Amino acid sequence: MSVPAGETAIIHAASTSDIDEQAALLRGWNQTYEQISAGRFNGSFLETQIDCVQLFREVTSNSLQQTGALPEGTIAVGAPLSLHGSATFCGRSCNGQQLHVFSGKDQFEFFSPRGLDIVGFVLDESDLRSALTHDELEDVMPSLAIPHLRFADIAALNRMRSIFLDVCEILAEPDASARDRVRLSSMSRDLIAAIVSGLAHGYGDRFDVPQARRALIVRDARDLISEWSQDLKGIADLCRELGVSRRALQQSFQDTLGVKPSVYMRAVRMNGARRAIKTESSVAEAATLWGFWHFGRFARDYNMMFGELPSEAFRRYHGVAEQAHR
């Protein structure tokens, strides 16, 4: 069932009735499962790869003691979809509202309850480093040195869960456009951004921007975003270019414009897609061009922002019926 090296955007799935087979499904994790609760075991596993990010989902029926260790230089984070009952991770009680950092120099130990359903994200340390701001590199990376249970903002945790499910929904589509390289690149960018948002929560809060400088930061940020146009970069890129922390950037945008920088950047992309609908041959092409890979969500967000569906705008601009991706 293991995914061949370099294979991307293909979903692989398996089901087992043996805990040793289940433990072996995660490639390179060197883990062992011991069944704690009585009853026949049933487990399932799903895995895919989007560029540099490996995604997996594991469901187990019985309470287990899970121990394991990951290869050096690998970062692995889990976000439970369902976790009820008595559970501990690396000696700390967990209730499904925390992130599970499996990677680090020591072994992890997870006493999981019946009916565990967890999604996970695995990437190289170097890829995570490239997505962090300078201040986050100093704070976040050392904090990942050992496996641990990690508090996360609930919005960031839910974002990790939802983007996993969205990616799997798209990859299950029979349409070949689900594996378009530009679309996959946008998925990868958003996946890494979601992981960073979860891991970086609470770091950089010590940075405070003087009132007089906030408007200047926003002005320079808007100039950069305009200059980048369709070169779809993220918040970390913006912070590095401006030499500010993620917290400082957010503080400046909130104070000056009343919105988060991520909301502003998404609005710029949405407006870019609106203009692209006038010239591209389909709504899907316009959306993909501006980094929107979940077409159903794009249609809903577009309708909310502009008061019409993108398919309606396409028909108006082109005078033809566009039935796809309404």
Side-chain angles (χ1 to χ4, degrees):
M1 196 229 70
S2 61
V3 178
E7 185 171 350
T8 189
I10 304 295
I11 292 179
H12 296 258
S15 59
T16 73
S17 57
D18 184 283
I19 60 172
D20 297 324
E21 291 178 1
Q22 183 79 24
L25 291 175
L26 265 169
R27 295 173 291 135
W29 279 51
N30 190 27
Q31 59 181 356
T32 301
Y33 288 178
E34 301 291 346
Q35 183 169 320
I36 305 302
S37 65
R40 181 180 176 84
F41 174 80
N42 289 290
S44 63
F45 189 78
L46 177 150
E47 181 183 20
T48 191
Q49 182 99 15
I50 304 294
D51 287 343
C52 64
V53 185
Q54 177 195 7
L55 296 85
F56 68 87
R57 181 176 184 178
E58 182 174 29
V59 179
T60 52
S61 62
N62 295 62
S63 177
L64 303 173
Q65 178 186 2
Q66 307 179 23
T67 56
L70 276 74
E72 185 177 355
T74 300
I75 301 295
V77 184
L81 294 177
S82 177
L83 189 154
H84 303 289
S86 178
T88 61
F89 186 81
C90 296
R92 293 182 58 192
S93 177
C94 49
N95 61 8
Q97 299 304 306
Q98 304 90 11
L99 289 178
H100 297 226
V101 177
F102 291 94
S103 49
K105 63 182 180 181
D106 297 330
Q107 267 201 338
F108 67 83
E109 185 173 53
F110 185 15
F111 286 88
S112 61
R114 290 177 177 272
L116 173 69
D117 187 351
I118 188 169
V119 299
F121 308 82
V122 187
L123 69 166
D124 288 341
E125 181 181 315
S126 58
D127 292 312
L128 179 61
R129 284 181 174 276
S130 66
L132 295 171
T133 63
H134 292 307
D135 55 294
E136 288 167 350
L137 280 171
E138 297 177 1
D139 287 329
V140 175
M141 292 309 302
S143 76
L144 302 177
I146 59 172
H148 64 282
L149 195 65
R150 191 182 192 92
F151 174 78
D153 174 70
I154 190 62
L157 185 59
N158 285 337
R159 175 59 180 154
M160 293 176 69
R161 292 165 172 158
S162 66
I163 197 170
F164 181 99
L165 298 175
D166 284 350
V167 166
C168 291
E169 177 188 338
I170 297 304
L171 296 187
E173 294 177 356
D175 189 347
S177 69
R179 291 167 182 81
D180 176 84
R181 289 307 311 171
V182 176
R183 198 175 178 192
L184 289 174
S185 178
S186 295
M187 285 186 196
S188 174
R189 180 202 63 228
D190 288 352
L191 278 166
I192 293 175
I195 296 167
V196 167
S197 180
L199 293 176
H201 175 72
Y203 290 96
D205 286 354
R206 67 180 182 273
F207 293 92
D208 189 67
V209 184
Q211 184 75 32
R213 187 161 180 254
R214 295 177 191 176
L216 296 177
I217 289 176
V218 171
R219 182 201 63 189
D220 292 343
R222 291 171 65 185
D223 287 345
L224 275 173
I225 293 169
S226 176
E227 177 185 318
W228 287 340
S229 187
Q230 288 172 229
D231 187 7
L232 302 171
K233 299 185 180 181
I235 296 297
D237 301 292
L238 198 55
C239 291
R240 283 192 291 268
E241 289 285 343
L242 296 171
V244 300
S245 70
R246 193 182 300 265
R247 172 63 176 166
L249 185 69
Q250 178 165 323
Q251 189 180 57
S252 299
F253 266 83
Q254 288 282 177
D255 182 67
T256 306
L257 299 181
V259 298
K260 296 179 180 179
S262 58
V263 172
Y264 178 83
M265 292 181 75
R266 184 175 177 82
V268 169
R269 289 169 49 215
M270 188 66 74
N271 278 275
R274 180 185 61 82
R275 288 187 288 270
I277 284 175
K278 299 178 181 181
T279 57
E280 296 301 316
S281 60
S282 71
V283 170
E285 288 184 11
T288 302
L289 189 65
W290 283 92
F292 296 100
W293 48 270
H294 193 293
F295 298 146
R297 184 159 288 110
F298 168 72
R300 291 191 294 272
D301 292 347
Y302 188 100
N303 188 27
M304 182 176 296
M305 187 158 190
F306 299 118
E308 65 177 345
L309 290 169
S311 55
E312 294 170 340
F314 186 91
R315 288 195 298 270
R316 184 158 47 80
Y317 291 130
H318 296 266
V320 297
E322 161 66 2
Q323 297 299 325
H325 311 302
R326 290 191 61 167

